[in-house]
Amino acid sequence: MTFPDIVPVLKARMPELRGRLLANQPLGEFTWFRVGGAAQAFFMPQDENDLAYFLRNLPGEIPVTVIGAGSNLIVRDGGVAGVVIRLGRGFNAVATSPDHCVTAGTAILDAMVARAARDAGIAGLAFLSGIPGAIGGALRMNGGAYGGETKDVLIEARGVDRAGNLRSFSNGEMGFSYRHCGAPEDVVFTSAVFQGRTGDVAQITAEMDEIKGKREATQPRNRTGGSTFKNPPDHNAWKLIDEAGCRGLTVGGAQVSPLHCNFLINLGNATARDIETLGETVRERVKEKSGIDLEWEIKRIGVAR
């Protein structure tokens, strides 16, 4: 699907814009599944001020969608109407401080923040090395792995709202719960400050190596989107999926991973429809078998085709 080109009109309204603004940009290349349609307009701001300027001058009727590293994301085949924002090099800095704080831009990968903390002898952030995404997604979803969650270490998050205002949120104001945060949906997070503690580099390295080993032994390396469904209370999603007979199930070019049932994989020629249909089929079978409704953890955006 090709959308009407709104980029010339937007550029005319924003003569001081410095970031890249593209029309009908394919989004599949920005997702780990490598599937999906195009963004009607695709914006990569140069820095936080550029982002604020863009949002301040964007007509209110144009929807905005934010994507990050694309690890937990399905872009539907029909693409995404309005503007898709993806933060890039202007948002991938990381710095440590003597009081064991780590300040990170939201475009930087979680694993790189964990490494920066390790190199500075800061413990408490190693779990980030097990999250396949960027800091922005960790904030928006309260990302967690291997016994740690974002809510455990966040001091403050900073972002820009739909009106172009700079906003700051304390840990308490983020409204964290399991794989969710309660901050306004229109806020585009730009940076975060995390609190660690004094640690030994060798011990932190060993912890991260253990996490890496567990991931490589239990999770598929194919084109995937990470954990597909949230764990219901007192249950493991993968086990419910396995008990429902879905291990290895395929729809088109998509498959439930034989290695880890809570991962869907693109065998090479899947469409977004294949992947989402497979996920819904899994949900139906789990419901029939156990009576439990699995909730998607992967974010799905755009229109079907």
Side-chain angles (χ1 to χ4, degrees), residues 37 113 127 134 152 158 161 175-176 195 210 213 229 237 272 275 301:
V113 175
F127 75 91
D152 301 330
R158 179 181 172 99
D161 67 19
F176 283 129
Q195 181 67 65
E210 183 180 2
F229 303 105
I275 297 168
I301 62 173

Side-chain angles (χ1 to χ4, degrees), residues 104-168:
T106 49
I108 193 168
L109 294 177
D110 302 316
M112 294 182 69
V113 175
R115 291 174 199 150
R118 175 201 62 195
D119 293 346
I122 299 174
L125 302 182
F127 75 91
L128 288 171
S129 67
I131 303 177
I135 290 298
L139 293 175
R140 184 54 69 183
M141 296 183 64
N142 184 26
Y146 302 100
E149 289 184 299
T150 302
K151 69 177 180 61
D152 301 330
V153 293
L154 181 75
I155 297 175
E156 181 183 68
R158 179 181 172 99
V160 182
D161 67 19
R162 184 62 173 77
N165 301 310
L166 300 180
R167 303 278 300 275
S168 293

Side-chain angles (χ1 to χ4, degrees), residues 203-240:
Q203 290 181 352
I204 300 168
T205 300
E207 182 180 357
M208 291 173 60
D209 286 345
E210 183 180 2
I211 289 172
K212 180 181 179 182
K214 289 179 178 178
R215 284 192 62 201
E216 291 180 346
T218 61
Q219 298 180 11
R221 311 302 294 173
N222 315 63
R223 296 178 178 180
T224 183
S227 295
T228 306
F229 303 105
K230 299 178 182 179
N231 287 322
D234 303 318
H235 293 278
N236 290 316
W238 75 266
K239 189 172 183 181
L240 293 170

Side-chain angles (χ1 to χ4, degrees), residues 34-63:
R34 292 294 189 267
V35 299
Q40 184 173 15
F42 183 73
F43 180 53
M44 294 188 70
Q46 194 167 108
D47 52 33
E48 188 179 68
N49 289 333
D50 195 39
L51 172 63
Y53 173 76
F54 177 81
L55 291 173
R56 194 176 302 122
N57 289 279
L58 184 69
E61 68 272 13
I62 296 179

Side-chain angles (χ1 to χ4, degrees), residues 1-3 22-28 30 35-42 75-82 84 301-303 305:
M1 177 186 294
T2 300
F3 295 101
L22 306 173
N24 285 292
Q25 168 66 43
L27 295 175
F30 298 109
V35 299
Q40 184 173 15
F42 183 73
V75 177
R76 296 186 175 107
D77 300 306
V80 183
V84 172
I301 62 173
V303 296
R305 183 174 62 187

Side-chain angles (χ1 to χ4, degrees), residues 28-29 31-35 70-71 73 220-226 253-255 257 263-271 275 298:
E29 64 190 86
T31 74
W32 287 25
F33 277 124
R34 292 294 189 267
V35 299
S71 54
L73 180 68
R221 311 302 294 173
N222 315 63
R223 296 178 178 180
T224 183
Q255 182 184 48
S257 170
F263 283 65
L264 306 183
I265 58 177
N266 177 0
L267 294 173
N269 62 345
T271 63
I275 297 168
I298 288 178

Side-chain angles (χ1 to χ4, degrees), residues 94-102 113-123 125 197-201 204:
V94 60
T96 60
S97 64
D99 58 352
H100 309 110
C101 289
V102 179
V113 175
R115 291 174 199 150
R118 175 201 62 195
D119 293 346
I122 299 174
L125 302 182
R197 62 181 186 275
T198 302
D200 177 76
V201 173
I204 300 168

